[in-house]
């Protein structure tokens, strides 16, 4: 994600959480939101795909679609980017303009990793659509919760037994998730100033201490 000079037009601070299924994104995003709220910041905690009524409908389509018809990778990409346009324009941008801290559970890096790295769509198309959908909302800080896929699987499986919902991504094979992981790690190497690599194979509180310390220093 290239730096966008336009992003300085808003007063808020934009944090994203990225990483595979079961890496603890939602857990850590919630804890960080509580911490920053307690410090007196106004916080918008949100997620992708989704975050607005229309975007949540698109999320259901992308994650839970079933039937004879194949959902092509490009269709999946465009549905996710359409959801992102709605989310950025309706929620993220207004929140940043009003000075809030926005914490988003998955964002454009997930598209680079899943639709690019794992599904194999060419990086230029992904970068173009991400730029279009993000508009001037480029994350200031991204936590990459890194975890070997088998560990994330085990955590997600436990949850699936309680939720019982078909999920197109959780049903992918190990190789798919290895490509996701490698694509995330490649982004972290390309953009070390924005992205902080967090070892997610530790207990939740240890991970949280690390994340809180980083956010406490950087959030302005
Ligand atoms: N550090 C951790 N160690 C062990 N279990 C964890 C840890 N963090 C979260 N969990 C548990 O693993 C499961 C997945 O956590 P969480 O929902 O936060 O992950 P996620 O990254 O948001 O997953 P998804 O991408 O599927 O939404 C939950 O049951 C959670 O309680
Ligand atoms: Mg989650």
């Amino acid at each position: 994600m290239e730096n966008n000079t336009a992003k300085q037009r808003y007063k808020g601070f934009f944090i994203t959480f990225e990483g595979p299924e079961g890496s603890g994104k939602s857990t850590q995003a919630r804890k960080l939101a509580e911490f920053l709220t307690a410090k007196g910041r106004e916080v918008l905690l949100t997620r992708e795909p989704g975050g607005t009524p229309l975007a949540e409908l698109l999320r259901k389509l992308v994650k839970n679609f079933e039937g004879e018809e194949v959902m092509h990778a490009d269709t999946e990409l465009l549905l996710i980017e359409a959801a992102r346009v709605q989310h950025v324009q309706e929620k993220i941008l207004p929140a940043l303009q009003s000075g809030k801290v926005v914490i988003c559970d998955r964002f454009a890096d997930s598209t680079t990793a899943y639709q690019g790295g794992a599904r194999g769509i060419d990086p230029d198309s992904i970068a173009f659509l991400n730029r279009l959908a993000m508009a001037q909302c480029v994350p200031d800080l991204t936590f990459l919760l890194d975890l070997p896929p088998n560990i994330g699987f085990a955590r997600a499986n436990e949850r699936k037994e309680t939720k019982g919902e078909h999920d197109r991504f959780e049903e992918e094979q190990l190789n798919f998730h290895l490509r996701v992981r490698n694509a995330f790690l490649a982004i972290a190497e390309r953009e070390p100033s924005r992205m902080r690599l967090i070892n997610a194979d530790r207990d939740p509180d240890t991970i949280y201490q690390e994340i809180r310390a980083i956010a406490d220093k950087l959030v302005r």
Side-chain angles (χ1 to χ4, degrees):
M1 249 176 265
E2 282 152 38
N3 262 341
N4 187 335
T5 48
K7 96 179 189 190
Q8 298 306 331
R9 281 187 204 143
Y10 56 70
K11 300 177 292 191
F13 195 87
F14 188 16
I15 302 173
T16 57
F17 280 83
E18 299 280 7
E21 279 80 9
S23 57
K25 298 179 298 298
S26 303
T27 305
Q28 298 296 335
R30 200 163 45 237
K31 286 170 81 78
L32 183 60
E34 282 165 12
F35 170 70
L36 292 170
T37 304
K39 275 194 72 177
R41 291 299 297 255
E42 271 197 86
V43 177
L44 170 69
L45 176 61
T46 186
R47 68 161 184 191
E48 287 213 346
T52 77
L54 174 50
E56 290 287 333
L57 284 174
L58 294 168
R59 175 193 178 91
K60 278 213 174 63
L61 268 178
V62 167
K63 283 178 77 78
N64 310 128
F65 176 77
E66 264 180 302
E68 292 290 296
E69 186 180 353
V70 170
M71 184 184 291
H72 292 271
D74 290 344
T75 304
E76 180 181 285
L77 169 66
L78 291 168
L79 290 172
I80 287 168
E81 296 291 7
R84 180 163 301 134
V85 171
Q86 290 303 118
H87 191 206
V88 165
Q89 296 300 326
E90 293 291 309
K91 283 188 76 178
I92 295 177
L93 184 56
L96 291 171
Q97 284 170 333
S98 74
K100 289 184 183 155
V101 177
V102 174
I103 300 178
C104 193
D105 184 347
R106 290 197 185 281
F107 195 59
D109 297 317
S110 280
T111 312
T112 305
Y114 283 76
Q115 283 68 46
R119 298 262 195 243
I121 298 175
D122 78 279
D124 290 345
S125 300
I126 303 267
F128 171 79
L129 290 167
N130 272 346
R131 216 158 38 235
L132 176 78
M134 285 193 292
Q136 62 264 60
C137 297
V138 178
D140 297 292
L141 174 62
T142 297
F143 293 106
L144 172 57
L145 300 184
D146 179 56
L147 197 66
N150 54 321
I151 298 175
F153 275 175
R155 292 187 194 166
N157 272 340
E158 260 174 56
R159 194 185 40 186
K160 204 168 11 178
E161 278 162 24
T162 52
K163 208 173 58 172
E165 203 173 49
H166 148 87
D167 182 305
R168 294 178 56 251
F169 297 99
E170 285 176 11
E171 284 160 14
E172 288 290 346
Q173 298 302 303
L174 182 63
N175 264 341
F176 177 93
H177 293 283
L178 288 171
R179 293 196 296 273
V180 168
R181 185 188 194 192
N182 288 336
F184 272 134
L185 290 173
I187 303 169
E189 253 178 44
R190 275 202 306 276
E191 298 186 63
S193 64
R194 172 176 66 89
M195 195 178 256
R196 299 305 159 99
L197 183 59
I198 306 288
N199 171 11
D201 188 12
R202 295 177 296 170
D203 72 277
D205 203 55
T206 306
I207 297 167
Y208 171 62
Q209 301 302 330
E210 185 177 346
I211 287 172
R212 191 185 64 184
I214 294 169
D216 207 18
K217 205 164 70 187
L218 294 180
V219 174
R220 37 153 187 78

